[in-house]
């Protein structure tokens, strides 16, 4: 999946930098505890890992990628359109320095890829900092980020090595699990890799 996202490290990143998901976490899955104020927010969602093969291909492309920096790390994913510095600080306190950015579609991508047993990875570029300044040069920054993410993905595709691994002759396919699974929302579920590259302009920064 490609698109635009907010950056989590403005001191180390720039608008247009590429973000690659080593992992994704659904930050909406929280436990709120503690009497009175302030309340304590405790993450409950699992961190799930992207396809090692696609990560390796992205790292290879990143070696010669010159338009902007490329950052690999944890991608935060949730339903909220974040543009508030205080809420961003809360997320930073929960996930620390691991998070490189955030968006709104990654958790859904992973859930769909898990069910279909597909490889997946998130490739997005920074369009804002989700700190209350999203409106500043919004169109210009979103266009730059979308262009950079598209260019990186195009280079990834033309570099080759993306064909899926085909089963060997005579191999028996594993029977499909018919249980309804959503690993991102359950700490008891084991994470898997999965999903094809799909084009998506991230509503997290719209």
């Amino acid at each position: 999946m490609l698109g635009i996202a907010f950056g989590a490290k403005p001191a180390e990143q720039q608008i247009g930098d590429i973000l690659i998901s080593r992992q994704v976490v659904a930050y909406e899955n929280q436990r709120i505890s503690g009497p009175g104020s302030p309340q304590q927010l405790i993450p409950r969602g699992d961190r799930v890992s992207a396809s090692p093969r696609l990560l390796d291909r992205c790292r290879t492309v990143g070696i010669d990628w010159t338009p902007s920096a490329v950052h690999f790390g944890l991608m935060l994913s949730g339903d909220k359109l974040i543009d508030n510095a205080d809420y961003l600080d809360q997320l930073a306190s929960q996930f620390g320095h691991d998070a490189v950015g955030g968006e709104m579609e990654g958790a859904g991508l992973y859930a769909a890829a898990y069910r279909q047993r597909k490889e997946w990875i998130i490739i997005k570029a920074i369009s804002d900092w989700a700190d209350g300044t999203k409106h500043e040069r919004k169109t210009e920054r979103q266009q730059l980020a979308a262009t950079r993410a598209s260019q990186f993905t195009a280079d990834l595709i033309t570099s080759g090595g993306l064909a899926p691994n085909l089963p060997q002759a005579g191999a028996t396919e594993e029977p499909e699990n018919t249980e309804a699974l959503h690993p991102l929302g359950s700490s008891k579920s084991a994470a898997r890799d999965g999903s094809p590259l799909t084009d998506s302009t991230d509503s997290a920064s719209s």
Side-chain angles (χ1 to χ4, degrees), residues 120-140:
W120 65 275
I121 199 163
I122 300 170
I123 301 171
K124 299 204 172 185
I126 297 172
S127 63
D128 61 79
W129 308 112
D131 59 356
T133 62
K134 194 183 292 285
H135 62 283
E136 296 180 4
R137 299 166 59 193
K138 178 179 176 179
T139 300
E140 175 188 347

Side-chain angles (χ1 to χ4, degrees), residues 15-87:
I15 299 296
D17 280 4
I18 301 295
L19 304 179
I20 309 289
S21 62
R22 278 205 304 255
Q23 294 179 309
V24 65
V25 64
Y27 66 80
E28 302 276 8
N29 297 321
Q30 301 173 337
R31 174 184 176 182
I32 302 176
S33 64
S37 181
Q39 294 175 329
Q40 185 178 9
L41 302 179
I42 303 172
R44 299 189 66 192
D46 291 336
R47 298 185 181 193
V48 293
S49 298
S51 162
R53 187 174 69 90
L54 296 180
L55 269 173
D56 181 67
R57 298 305 305 152
C58 286
R59 289 191 179 101
T60 300
V61 172
I63 293 174
D64 297 322
W65 174 259
T66 57
S68 61
V70 181
H71 307 272
F72 293 82
L74 177 67
M75 195 80 77
L76 307 179
S77 185
D79 296 333
K80 293 182 176 65
L81 176 61
I82 303 175
D83 193 24
N84 181 279
D86 291 337
Y87 189 80

